[in-house]
Amino acid sequence: MTIEYDKDLTELTTFKVPAKAAIYAEYEDEKDLLKLSRTPEFIDNEYLHIGSGSNLLFLNKFKGIVLHSRIKGISKYIKDKETVFVMAGAGEKWTDLVEWCISNGIAGLENMAGIPGEVGASAVQNVGAYGAEAGDFIHSVVCFDVMSRKKVILKHDECRFSYRDSIFKKKANGRLIVMQVSYKLRLGTKALNLKYAPLKEFADKLGRTPSTRELAEEVVRLRDSKLPNPAEIGSAGSFFKNPEPNKYFFEQEIVPRGNDIPTYPSGEEGKVKLSGAWLIDHAGLKGTKIGGAEVWPKQPLVIANTGNATGKEVAELAKHIIDTVKVKYGIELHPEVNYIDSSIKVTFFGTGTSKGIPEIGCTCHTCMSTDPKDKRLRASVLVETHGMKILIDASPDLRQQALRHGLSQIDAVLLTHQHYDHVGGIDDVRPFCFERDLPIYTNHQTAKDLRNRVDYCFREHPYPGVPKLDLQEIECQPFLINGLKVTPIEVMHGNLPIYGYRIGDFAYVTDAKTIAESEKEKLRDLDVLVLNCLRTHTPHFAHLILPEALALIDELKPKRCYLTHACHMLGRHEEVAKLLPAGVEYAYDGEVITINDER
């Protein structure tokens, strides 16, 4: 086991954009990994596991610990005359495994020759090419559970493989580290899969079924003809996934626009598969550049680093591609690449209490204000980090908030509690559910309430077009969203226990009256705390008022604090701002704050 500090990772990623980690560690075997998991470097930091860095885009320095496996070894077990199981260490190069299989007369992986990366990533990413996916052959995966610190083995069905996806990218992301992968393959030297058109044409030219080696060589030739040479030009291979929208949405919303978009069979019922390359090409984006980043002319799914590109330039080009395709075709492209971004951007969608400001029919000093900062929708924020957009609370004003801020992506929703001013806009998330069920994280009581409130979303045969929600009940302990650690904080809203949330050095707490000492510990050492503050003086049984909020801020000592969830009795923005100490601000709708923005 080796541990390094302030490690330059630039040459450890295929993009070759500037990349750094506060801590870097390599391990040789399970014992090494167990020992590493008990070190302060691991316990006190978020971790990121990398293989050959082929699916990572670093936007700034990773503040935690980066792990890399050096678990090696390839072995085989022949079951019968046709079947053979091959076990490989996660740290083996994928191309070496494919070559080993071909040299040992084992067929199955030849269609995936030339894919960069390591064996561990084949299970995590469910890598694939030319009509084959690793998940088609994976029999089991040996993992290390970082929470129990024990070895676990997942069988094929438990891995939940789908297009470029697996349980290791979802619920197990950040908990399970892949150590070894077992593949169920076939003995033989003849290629097994010629479904992909160029490979069938290759076989027709030969006049026979190609050998595994011949097919692998043809696959590598095809890859080289389309993709940039990794020795000369950095890239992550395909940057975007091929979209698989809901069939109903595609037929009702996209086809009527008159775009003759070709479709392909999807592996999932009720969906259609589209070609991301076709969409980018026909949107006129081939060869488009931002700085040193370019849409590769021979394969528009690829973004290449053609001249000392930064992560920011690659991300800007990716956004330009996504926005352009969305405008022209109504289809949202999603990156296959993982953004590594310790920075956090928070946008206040709403900062008002349950009635908003102005209140209907009220003619008070605050409600009559003409200052835009005194116009407050119901409380909600959008958190952007690690390439994801996470909405905290779906207020009844969500549609208006989404349109105001041009919201076109939500990756997950965190709900603090079940009161209407925090969940009343849940039906408005339907535009973000066309390609998958939108993950909703909340406690048991709120989940139960939602199932009753919007029961039409959870019926066995829902009406076409209703929001498709993946309702995930959480306990008051850390959980992961695509590897991002989220820590719930239980606070008391009068007699009702509800959740606040901490993400990195940012925390959001609303509708609190009291917080237990054990939960306060989760709010220490914050860069930014967003805290509810209902009004100035008159006490409230379920909400903090200004003196109570300021006392709590003084106790927790965040570097910055923003007050939210205010009613008209707190006063006008300009008046309240004068009452606040240094480091405390009265948030307003549309305000944007950034944390750890070290680009």
Side-chain angles (χ1 to χ4, degrees):
M1 179 180 71
T2 59
I3 298 179
E4 300 177 60
Y5 299 89
D6 201 30
K7 174 76 170 180
D8 189 326
L9 303 175
T10 304
E11 295 304 315
L12 298 180
T13 70
T14 60
F15 246 126
K16 299 296 186 289
V17 301
K20 270 194 172 186
I23 310 168
Y24 177 79
E26 290 189 329
Y27 56 92
E28 303 282 343
D29 51 32
E30 183 184 347
K31 289 183 179 179
D32 253 5
L33 188 50
L34 176 61
K35 182 179 178 181
L36 180 61
S37 72
R38 290 172 172 160
T39 63
E41 286 87 350
F42 186 91
I43 293 171
D44 297 337
N45 292 283
E46 290 196 71
Y47 83 84
L48 168 70
H49 202 289
I50 66 171
S52 62
S54 60
N55 66 326
L56 304 174
L57 175 63
F58 281 81
L59 298 181
N60 53 25
K61 181 178 179 179
F62 184 69
K63 296 177 67 177
I65 181 171
V66 169
L67 307 180
H68 181 244
S69 172
R70 293 187 61 81
I71 297 177
K72 302 286 188 177
I74 305 174
S75 60
K76 66 181 179 181
Y77 165 71
I78 298 176
K79 183 180 180 182
D80 51 44
K81 292 182 179 180
E82 289 189 347
T83 308
V84 58
F85 292 93
V86 174
M87 177 75 81
E92 289 283 355
K93 288 185 177 180
W94 175 258
T95 50
D96 290 348
L97 173 62
V98 175
E99 172 58 31
W100 187 93
C101 288
I102 292 172
S103 298
N104 282 270
I106 298 172
L109 304 184
E110 56 275 3
N111 292 56
M112 293 174 279
I115 294 178
E118 296 180 355
V119 164
S122 72
V124 176
Q125 293 286 115
N126 188 20
V127 300
Y130 297 97
E133 291 184 338
D136 299 336
F137 303 97
I138 291 176
H139 173 258
S140 61
V141 182
V142 181
C143 307
F144 180 80
D145 187 327
V146 300
M147 292 186 180
S148 67
R149 295 196 175 100
K150 293 181 179 179
K151 180 170 73 174
V152 296
I153 299 176
L154 270 63
K155 297 296 185 182
H156 176 274
D157 290 348
E158 295 175 297
C159 295
R160 300 180 190 176
F161 292 119
S162 60
Y163 176 62
R164 301 299 176 268
D165 207 356
S166 71
I167 194 172
F168 306 107
K169 292 182 71 175
K170 292 182 176 177
K171 292 184 178 180
N173 192 343
R175 175 163 183 168
L176 298 181
I177 295 176
V178 176
M179 295 191 294
Q180 294 172 304
V181 184
S182 172
Y183 304 86
K184 185 179 180 181
L185 304 169
R186 295 187 65 179
L187 292 168
T189 58
K190 285 190 177 182
L192 300 178
N193 184 348
L194 300 173
K195 292 184 293 185
Y196 192 76
L199 300 185
K200 187 177 184 302
E201 292 172 6
F202 174 65
D204 290 342
K205 287 180 181 178
L206 289 177
R208 56 177 171 81
T209 300
S211 69
T212 52
R213 183 165 298 284
E214 288 172 328
L215 190 77
E217 289 174 351
E218 176 64 11
V219 165
V220 171
R221 187 192 68 78
L222 289 169
R223 289 181 64 87
D224 289 346
S225 69
K226 295 180 179 180
L227 303 178
N229 184 342
E232 300 174 1
I233 298 174
S235 80
S238 295
F239 194 95
F240 299 101
K241 300 176 184 178
N242 287 314
E244 292 190 291
N246 178 286
K247 186 177 181 180
Y248 176 83
F249 166 75
F250 181 77
E251 292 175 347
Q252 298 296 316
E253 299 290 339
I254 304 304
V255 173
R257 295 186 182 201
N259 295 312
D260 189 20
I261 303 175
T263 62
Y264 307 90
S266 170
E268 189 172 344
E269 186 178 353
K271 293 189 174 184
V272 294
K273 190 171 187 177
L274 312 178
S275 166
W278 187 95
L279 293 168
I280 296 169
D281 183 13
H282 286 74
L285 292 166
K286 269 187 180 180
T288 301
K289 292 183 179 181
I290 292 181
E294 179 183 11
V295 180
W296 193 243
K298 295 181 180 180
Q299 171 49 276
L301 273 183
V302 173
I303 295 179
N305 177 4
T306 59
N308 299 317
T310 64
K312 183 179 179 181
E313 290 171 345
V314 174
E316 287 178 353
L317 180 55
K319 186 177 186 304
H320 176 65
I321 294 168
I322 293 168
D323 291 346
T324 304
V325 169
K326 182 69 177 288
V327 169
K328 183 163 185 177
Y329 295 110
I331 298 292
E332 179 114 8
L333 294 176
H334 293 279
E336 188 175 323
V337 171
N338 296 311
Y339 288 55
I340 308 305
D341 188 1
S342 296
S343 70
I344 301 173
K345 177 183 175 183
V346 179
T347 303
F348 287 93
F349 274 16
T351 56
T353 188
S354 58
K355 297 180 184 178
I357 301 175
E359 289 192 7
I360 296 174
C362 183
T363 58
C364 78
H365 178 65
T366 305
C367 290
M368 295 300 290
S369 170
T370 58
D371 185 348
K373 292 181 180 179
D374 290 326
K375 310 299 182 186
R376 301 178 182 277
L377 301 176
R378 269 72 70 93
S380 173
V381 294
L382 184 73
V383 180
E384 299 178 61
T385 185
H386 287 75
M388 295 186 291
K389 294 185 178 182
I390 300 171
L391 182 70
I392 303 183
D393 282 340
S395 91
D397 302 316
L398 178 57
R399 181 179 183 278
Q400 182 179 352
Q401 293 164 339
L403 291 171
R404 176 181 292 178
H405 294 282
L407 184 64
S408 62
Q409 172 191 346
I410 298 179
D411 296 285
V413 178
L414 306 176
L415 297 178
T416 59
H417 61 295
Q418 67 267 34
H419 287 171
Y420 182 75
D421 56 319
H422 296 264
V423 301
I426 201 70
D427 188 83
D428 289 326
V429 303
R430 66 176 65 196
F432 311 106
C433 303
F434 293 128
E435 292 188 38
R436 64 191 177 107
D437 295 359
L438 182 65
I440 310 287
Y441 298 87
T442 192
N443 62 22
H444 171 73
Q445 189 56 47
T446 305
K448 181 180 178 182
D449 180 85
L450 271 186
R451 290 190 179 96
N452 291 325
R453 189 187 297 271
V454 288
D455 66 296
Y456 53 87
C457 296
F458 302 101
R459 293 173 184 168
E460 185 177 355
H461 301 290
Y463 186 82
V466 304
K468 300 177 68 178
L469 309 179
D470 178 13
L471 197 53
Q472 301 193 24
E473 296 184 22
I474 55 173
E475 303 292 336
C476 194
Q477 58 187 16
F479 63 97
L480 299 156
I481 303 176
N482 292 338
L484 176 68
K485 181 180 178 182
V486 179
T487 302
I489 302 109
E490 186 176 82
V491 303
M492 297 304 296
H493 181 34
N495 294 322
L496 178 68
I498 69 172
Y499 284 167
Y501 295 98
R502 177 169 183 163
I503 300 173
D505 295 327
F506 164 77
Y508 183 81
V509 176
T510 185
D511 284 51
K513 180 62 176 182
T514 58
I515 307 177
E517 291 301 319
S518 59
E519 297 301 291
K520 286 180 183 178
E521 289 304 310
K522 299 177 183 178
L523 296 170
R524 305 287 183 185
D525 303 316
L526 286 169
D527 235 1
V528 170
L529 169 64
V530 176
L531 183 66
N532 65 294
C533 179
L534 184 69
R535 53 200 186 201
T536 310
H537 297 298
T538 308
H540 192 278
F541 78 98
H543 291 273
L544 293 169
I545 63 172
L546 185 57
E548 295 168 332
L550 292 179
L552 181 59
I553 293 166
D554 187 58
E555 179 184 354
L556 297 175
K557 293 181 170 51
K559 291 179 183 177
R560 291 180 285 165
C561 187
Y562 294 80
L563 303 179
T564 190
H565 205 276
C567 79
H568 61 168
M569 293 174 66
L570 185 59
R572 292 186 175 185
H573 186 276
E574 64 176 359
E575 296 168 346
V576 176
K578 296 174 184 177
L579 303 175
L580 302 178
V584 181
E585 297 184 30
Y586 186 14
Y588 55 88
D589 288 18
E591 186 170 11
V592 177
I593 56 176
T594 56
I595 305 155
N596 299 331
D597 193 18
E598 302 169 6
R599 304 247 177 210

